Amino acid sequence: MATPTLLRAAVLVVSTTASKDASTDKAIPALQDVFATDGDGKWDVASTSIVSDDAAAIREQILKWTDTDDSLINLVVTTGGTGFAVSDITPEAVSEVIDKPAPGLVHGMLAASLQVTPFAVMSRPVAGVRKRTVIVTLPGSPKGAKENLQAILKMLPHACVLAAGVDSRSLHAGGVKKLEQEAGVVGSTAGQSQGHSHNHSHGHSHGHGHGHGGHGGHGHGLVRHAPPADVPPATPLSNDPSLGPTRRNRASPYPMLSVDEALARIDEFTPGVVESERPVNEDLVGYVLARDIYAAEDVPAFRASIVDGYAVVVPKDEDEKGVSESSSKTLSGVFPVTSVSHAAPDEAKVLRDGEIARITTGAPLPAGANAVVMVENTVLHSLTEDNQEEKEVEIRAANVRDGDNVREIGSDVRKGQLLLHKGERITAVGGEVGLLAAAGVQHVTICRRPIVGVLSTGNEIVEHTSRPPSGLRLGEVRDTNRPTLLLAAQEWGFDTVDLGIVVDQPQTLEQRLRDALRQVDVIITTGGVSMGELDLLKPTIERALGGTIHFGRVAMKPGKPTTFATVMVKEASRGTQSDISGSVSHSTRRFVRTIFSLPGNPASALVTFHLFVLPALHKMAGEHPRGLPKVPVALSHDFVLDKERPEYHRAVVSVGADGVLRATSTGGQRSSKVGSMRGSNALLCMPAGPEPLKAGAKVDALLMSNIRSEL
Ligand code: AMP
Ligand code: MG
């Protein structure tokens, strides 16, 4: 049984014969024997596998061990396929998955073999490290394999421990030091040798450089942080397009993620908010505030009348008893109208005891006045000589109090008061811009909204207007995805750039993507992510742009090949999102750009846009909650389920008189079916399952637009 201090080895036999009949294999028992007898009790042969002389199969099995297995495999040894025969391709296949070559191990093996036979020169071994695993190719003959392994076995524990990185310390729970000492390569005494300090820093920088900090021990191998520019990205998993269709992977090398895992990676690797100061005007609509906003001044800024009427002076009679009574007076009698106050900028007027001033709604109270009597409670008593003006007015008002019909300074908004919170969205209907305007706020700090570029890919795709009806040539397809996605992104309030259509040709695609990376924050491509030899998105992002693919396959229907990647861009043009190194000097500014490569089928493209791209756009724009809103709905009819994958079913959600939300399918859900999105306002989150879900069952619906009313 494995204990935490055992190193875990995996043996891969590369032999077309043994792959057909495993009983013919002698290498596995021979190597197991070496680990057991010569391994000082440090090894657990945790996994073995046999594949034919097929580069893709070799790579796939190694990647399973190095990138996807839940517990770390410390060492992979292959045996077979290292000679000069045409079918011998193991070193080439292994080289493709190696991040760092380890020529020392190769020398060690060859030197030992040459002691045994001059034919050792006929072996072409390679060795190296992928992620946290050491990989070594051994010859195919059981004897040769055994001798080569014996030659380096004593050193391998140390190599494996260092390759496993800093986090192996917790993984191996205190056993690392012991392993180092037992390997006999590190001094255990107080006098620390140079070798020790070197080894230590090496181990650390490895662990750090590959970004295992947060993931150590969990072994979700594909989680690679966008590497800093000085660290080359890990070996791509994608096909090398220059090798042609015969050498492509026949099964996707990308682990299949659940939708939730995929969303978690999008959340992790999408850059955060970039703040920007904007003037307060109507262009602010749609932005989320990056900071709290405080009132710049009092509203109203002066004591103002609430009604049309007469400003009066309510005598402050200190002699009267009772606080509440004392401030209330029956004001009656005839008073001279000594001034007029209109709601207009004007000079300050003064009112004395016994005088009144005609005043309009919103106008400033004359100094000395402390209440306003409504015009309804007054009678005109006399006119001026020229009959043009009021001379005297009779006031007939009971219980006039100091402050009646007066809006005090700052009674609506007090200067310095918190007006709008960070994270609030400026809407066109909620009056936010008006509130800011009223309170004298001239500039606010908002979260920039990412600019979205949409690119269609495919030799068959033509501009939809470029051919007359029935004028398509055989194989041509009108571009559906670009207009659809541009409009969807715009509908959600994002500025878009139309990146056009690009053919399936590596250099052209690379150039178009490079251009796009300079123009936009988020690139959405459609097509070219399936398993065909013209599916160039993944290889171009990984190999040509040096990007990091965070996932390339999702367990869902439609949308399985959905791909999410980030690419580092230096010195991006002004006006876009995502400066991740604001403190760094201008010459070294680097930006993270995200690329969503969506499947080509129109329904898949629109579903995956809503499911995956929208939450990323929301994150960059500072919006909460992110993505489509989710509501529980009842099915209005039976729904057939996909047996393996959860399905995002296009549907119409409506509400009846009973207030219950019901969902009805929009019909055929084939991912190529252009019309299946039409009229749908929701994606139903259907689980995978063998039996149909019955009418009345409750499922979650992701709302793309307003709920229909059946009333
Ligand atoms: P692909 O992922 O490139 O293999 O494309 C899958 C399917 O979607 C193919 O039938 C393509 O012709 C189709 N397709 C790809 N892009 C578009 C597009 N922009 N508009 C309409 N159909 C497309
Ligand atoms: Mg295509």
Side-chain angles (χ1 to χ4, degrees), residues 96 236-240 249 253-254 538-540 542-543 549:
E96 280 202 57
L237 294 183
S238 51
N239 288 313
D240 180 348
N249 295 312
Y254 294 88
K538 286 177 172 106
T540 303
E542 276 193 327
R543 293 166 183 272
I549 292 185

Side-chain angles (χ1 to χ4, degrees), residues 412-462:
D412 290 353
V413 174
R414 170 85 44 211
K415 180 179 176 180
Q417 173 188 331
L418 181 60
L419 279 187
L420 295 172
H421 291 87
K422 169 182 174 173
E424 269 185 76
R425 193 170 202 264
I426 307 291
T427 68
V429 293
E432 291 87 358
V433 172
L435 175 60
L436 295 170
V441 180
Q442 315 258 304
H443 288 90
V444 293
T445 307
I446 50 92
C447 308
R448 285 232 294 260
R449 292 180 79 73
I451 299 168
V452 181
V454 180
L455 177 69
S456 287
T457 76
N459 294 335
E460 78 280 31
I461 307 301
V462 296

Side-chain angles (χ1 to χ4, degrees), residues 457-461 504 526-530 534-536 600:
T457 76
N459 294 335
E460 78 280 31
I461 307 301
D504 297 319
T526 61
V529 284
S530 313
L534 291 183
D535 288 327
L536 296 173

Side-chain angles (χ1 to χ4, degrees), residues 139-187:
S141 82
K143 180 170 175 289
K146 189 176 159 191
E147 286 163 356
N148 275 262
L149 182 58
Q150 282 168 333
I152 55 171
L153 191 57
K154 286 279 183 278
M155 301 305 296
L156 283 176
H158 189 59
C160 290
V161 165
L162 292 177
V166 194
D167 286 301
S168 68
R169 283 154 211 269
S170 51
L171 191 73
H172 292 292
V176 176
K177 274 275 163 296
K178 206 166 110 235
L179 286 171
E180 287 175 346
Q181 287 165 18
E182 283 169 7
V185 283
V186 174

Side-chain angles (χ1 to χ4, degrees), residues 466-498:
S466 69
R467 305 279 185 272
S470 307
L472 290 177
R473 294 190 315 199
L474 178 64
E476 284 185 336
V477 174
R478 292 185 200 273
D479 189 358
T480 312
N481 295 337
R482 199 162 40 102
T484 303
L485 296 179
L486 285 168
L487 286 171
Q490 287 160 17
E491 178 63 17
W492 288 103
F494 296 95
D495 286 339
T496 56
V497 174
D498 182 346

Side-chain angles (χ1 to χ4, degrees), residues 131-436:
K131 293 184 179 283
R132 300 191 293 153
T133 304
V134 175
I135 306 174
V136 178
T137 66
L138 304 174
S141 82
K143 180 170 175 289
K146 189 176 159 191
E147 286 163 356
N148 275 262
L149 182 58
Q150 282 168 333
I152 55 171
L153 191 57
K154 286 279 183 278
M155 301 305 296
L156 283 176
H158 189 59
C160 290
V161 165
L162 292 177
V166 194
D167 286 301
S168 68
R169 283 154 211 269
S170 51
L171 191 73
H172 292 292
V176 176
K177 274 275 163 296
K178 206 166 110 235
L179 286 171
E180 287 175 346
Q181 287 165 18
E182 283 169 7
V185 283
V186 174
S188 58
T189 54
Q192 304 262 298
S193 69
Q194 262 213 306
H196 179 87
S197 65
H198 166 78
N199 288 334
H200 180 81
S201 71
H202 175 79
H204 178 78
S205 75
H206 173 84
H208 184 77
H210 286 250
H212 287 130
H215 306 282
H218 297 291
H220 290 303
L222 205 72
V223 178
R224 278 183 268 150
H225 295 280
D230 46 327
V231 176
T235 307
L237 294 183
S238 51
N239 288 313
D240 180 348
S242 64
L243 298 179
T246 54
R247 305 274 304 261
R248 72 179 144 151
N249 295 312
R250 289 194 176 268
S252 171
Y254 294 88
M256 179 88 90
L257 265 56
S258 71
V259 170
D260 285 344
E261 286 169 325
L263 287 170
R265 290 198 186 177
I266 290 171
D267 187 51
E268 183 178 358
F269 294 104
T270 298
V273 157
V274 176
E275 297 183 358
S276 171
E277 197 180 90
R278 296 291 162 94
V280 171
N281 58 34
E282 54 275 30
D283 295 338
L284 219 49
V285 168
Y287 286 104
V288 173
L289 294 170
R291 309 253 178 98
D292 289 342
I293 311 291
Y294 299 91
E297 61 194 27
D298 287 319
V299 184
F302 52 86
R303 299 181 81 198
S305 176
I306 292 175
V307 296
D308 291 318
Y310 294 86
V312 300
V313 184
V314 182
K316 293 204 174 72
D317 198 340
E318 268 102 52
D319 296 346
E320 288 194 16
K321 305 159 278 174
V323 179
S324 58
E325 288 301 307
S326 71
S327 57
S328 153
K329 287 273 181 197
T330 297
L331 207 66
S332 56
V334 175
F335 295 88
V337 180
T338 59
S339 65
V340 180
S341 181
H342 284 146
D346 203 354
E347 283 175 11
K349 309 257 168 48
V350 181
L351 207 64
R352 280 181 289 273
D353 238 348
E355 295 176 347
I356 62 174
R358 194 164 77 243
I359 190 166
T360 59
T361 304
L365 231 60
N370 57 4
V372 179
V373 174
M374 290 201 296
V375 67
E376 289 88 336
N377 296 334
T378 65
V379 175
L380 178 60
H381 188 79
S382 61
L383 296 177
T384 52
E385 269 24 354
D386 59 2
N387 284 345
Q388 296 298 302
E389 258 298 351
E390 299 171 341
K391 187 172 177 209
E392 290 167 313
V393 166
E394 184 183 345
I395 302 280
R396 295 174 175 178
N399 297 329
V400 181
R401 295 163 190 245
D402 185 351
D404 271 5
N405 295 323
V406 176
R407 284 163 69 213
E408 294 296 341
I409 291 171
S411 58
D412 290 353
V413 174
R414 170 85 44 211
K415 180 179 176 180
Q417 173 188 331
L418 181 60
L419 279 187
L420 295 172
H421 291 87
K422 169 182 174 173
E424 269 185 76
R425 193 170 202 264
I426 307 291
T427 68
V429 293
E432 291 87 358
V433 172
L435 175 60
L436 295 170

